Amino acid sequence: MVQSFINARTLSPSDMGDCKIAKKIARHLRKFHQVAIPGSREPQLWNDIFKFLNEAVTIKFDDSGKQARYESISFQEIQAEINELKDLTDLLNAPVVFAHNDLLSGNLMLNDKEGKLYFIDFEYGSYSYRGYDIGNHFNEYAGLDCDYSLYPDKDAQYHFFKNYLEPEKPLEVPDKDLEAIFVETNTYRLASHIYWALWALIQAKASPIDFDYLCYFFRRYNEYKKQKEACFSLAQNCLLRSSSH
């Protein structure tokens, strides 16, 4: 079934870090987040994560090697991490938008001649938190190889945020607005790791695709653990400053 034909190329993960392309993505995402979709505007992120967790704990693999790797996972620990992260992100009062939720390079297309960017594949779309959609996109700079050294630094993120918040006047965005979206994005990036880690466990059992989903689970969850302290500290310091004001 052909739904439509887009005369454009699919981006690669390295394209997303190009400052001209990042500017286009930021501006396009702003427009996307302004779309009003009929129905409930209740964010689905945590509902989906808890649903994935409930499914992941029941998995049994026929392959003994896979089963042994699966049994090394502490779902009690993951449940505690999810609760702690949800409690922290709730304090940020992040804006709720209609989010794409899967802005990896394969879902971004660019017509280089016309300079026109397209988002495709909306099956994960739902109302969610602004910072989650952006943090999830930044995580995808790493590609499927999970090279998280490619995660954008603060300058690259601020370039993105300025074009997202004020596409017509990117240099006039107030510092407090930049800090708020920076903290929000880099806290919700942790939720993105947990979401796709649990998703990968379910795919490891259900998917016919030849891909090591179990390995992908460990890569995403290990990156969550690696980044947790810095991201939590960033959010907690921001909350402390705002409460003292």
Side-chain angles (χ1 to χ4, degrees), residues 13 39-40 145 155 162 172 193 199 210 216 222 237:
S40 167
D145 295 335
D155 287 344
K162 286 171 184 174
E172 294 177 26
H193 284 308
W199 170 89
D210 182 19
Y216 191 70
N222 288 341
N237 289 337

Short mmCIF file of all heavy atoms in Angstrom, two decimals, residues 13 39-40 145 155 162 172 193 199 210 216 222 237:
data_model
loop_
_atom_site.label_atom_id
_atom_site.label_comp_id
_atom_site.label_asym_id
_atom_site.label_seq_id
_atom_site.Cartn_x
_atom_site.Cartn_y
_atom_site.Cartn_z
N PRO A 13 21.66 9.74 11.22
CA PRO A 13 21.85 10.36 12.54
C PRO A 13 22.82 11.54 12.50
O PRO A 13 22.60 12.55 13.18
CB PRO A 13 22.41 9.20 13.38
CG PRO A 13 21.84 7.97 12.75
CD PRO A 13 21.82 8.28 11.27
N GLY A 39 -9.78 14.98 20.97
CA GLY A 39 -9.71 13.88 21.94
C GLY A 39 -9.01 14.31 23.22
O GLY A 39 -8.70 15.49 23.41
N SER A 40 -8.75 13.34 24.06
CA SER A 40 -8.14 13.62 25.37
C SER A 40 -6.74 14.20 25.21
O SER A 40 -5.96 13.74 24.38
CB SER A 40 -8.06 12.33 26.18
OG SER A 40 -7.21 12.52 27.30
N ASP A 145 23.29 2.39 16.85
CA ASP A 145 24.53 1.90 17.46
C ASP A 145 24.68 2.40 18.90
O ASP A 145 25.59 1.98 19.61
CB ASP A 145 25.75 2.37 16.65
CG ASP A 145 25.76 1.78 15.25
OD1 ASP A 145 25.17 0.70 15.07
OD2 ASP A 145 26.37 2.40 14.35
N ASP A 155 25.66 23.96 23.80
CA ASP A 155 25.59 24.97 22.73
C ASP A 155 24.68 24.50 21.59
O ASP A 155 23.87 25.29 21.07
CB ASP A 155 27.00 25.27 22.17
CG ASP A 155 27.85 26.07 23.14
OD1 ASP A 155 27.28 26.66 24.09
OD2 ASP A 155 29.08 26.12 22.96
N LYS A 162 16.53 27.88 20.67
CA LYS A 162 16.26 29.25 20.20
C LYS A 162 15.38 29.23 18.97
O LYS A 162 14.47 30.04 18.82
CB LYS A 162 17.59 29.98 19.91
CG LYS A 162 18.34 30.40 21.16
CD LYS A 162 19.74 30.91 20.82
CE LYS A 162 20.51 31.24 22.10
NZ LYS A 162 21.91 31.61 21.80
N GLU A 172 16.71 36.46 20.49
CA GLU A 172 16.05 37.26 21.54
C GLU A 172 15.36 36.41 22.60
O GLU A 172 14.61 36.93 23.42
CB GLU A 172 15.04 38.22 20.90
CG GLU A 172 15.71 39.29 20.03
CD GLU A 172 14.71 40.20 19.33
OE1 GLU A 172 13.59 40.37 19.86
OE2 GLU A 172 15.05 40.73 18.25
N HIS A 193 14.94 6.87 27.59
CA HIS A 193 15.76 5.64 27.69
C HIS A 193 14.93 4.50 28.30
O HIS A 193 15.00 3.36 27.83
CB HIS A 193 17.01 5.90 28.54
CG HIS A 193 18.06 6.67 27.82
ND1 HIS A 193 18.55 6.31 26.59
CD2 HIS A 193 18.74 7.80 28.17
CE1 HIS A 193 19.48 7.17 26.20
NE2 HIS A 193 19.62 8.10 27.15
N TRP A 199 10.34 -1.15 25.73
CA TRP A 199 9.81 -1.47 24.40
C TRP A 199 10.66 -2.56 23.75
O TRP A 199 10.14 -3.52 23.16
CB TRP A 199 9.79 -0.20 23.55
CG TRP A 199 9.49 -0.40 22.09
CD1 TRP A 199 8.26 -0.41 21.49
CD2 TRP A 199 10.45 -0.60 21.03
NE1 TRP A 199 8.41 -0.61 20.13
CE2 TRP A 199 9.72 -0.72 19.83
CE3 TRP A 199 11.84 -0.68 20.99
CZ2 TRP A 199 10.35 -0.93 18.60
CZ3 TRP A 199 12.47 -0.89 19.76
CH2 TRP A 199 11.72 -1.01 18.58
N ASP A 210 15.30 -9.35 12.50
CA ASP A 210 16.60 -9.85 12.95
C ASP A 210 17.40 -8.70 13.55
O ASP A 210 18.18 -8.02 12.87
CB ASP A 210 17.34 -10.48 11.76
CG ASP A 210 18.68 -11.07 12.19
OD1 ASP A 210 18.86 -11.32 13.40
OD2 ASP A 210 19.56 -11.26 11.32
N TYR A 216 19.83 -4.10 22.89
CA TYR A 216 19.36 -2.71 22.83
C TYR A 216 18.75 -2.29 24.18
O TYR A 216 18.97 -1.17 24.64
CB TYR A 216 18.33 -2.55 21.70
CG TYR A 216 17.99 -1.12 21.39
CD1 TYR A 216 18.92 -0.27 20.79
CD2 TYR A 216 16.73 -0.59 21.70
CE1 TYR A 216 18.61 1.06 20.50
CE2 TYR A 216 16.42 0.73 21.42
CZ TYR A 216 17.36 1.55 20.82
OH TYR A 216 17.05 2.87 20.54
N ASN A 222 21.41 1.05 30.48
CA ASN A 222 22.73 1.41 31.04
C ASN A 222 23.02 2.90 30.83
O ASN A 222 23.62 3.54 31.69
CB ASN A 222 23.84 0.56 30.41
CG ASN A 222 23.80 -0.88 30.93
OD1 ASN A 222 23.21 -1.16 31.97
ND2 ASN A 222 24.40 -1.80 30.19
N ASN A 237 18.50 21.19 41.17
CA ASN A 237 19.07 22.52 41.36
C ASN A 237 18.16 23.61 40.80
O ASN A 237 18.00 24.68 41.39
CB ASN A 237 20.47 22.62 40.73
CG ASN A 237 21.50 21.82 41.50
OD1 ASN A 237 21.33 21.56 42.68
ND2 ASN A 237 22.57 21.43 40.85
#
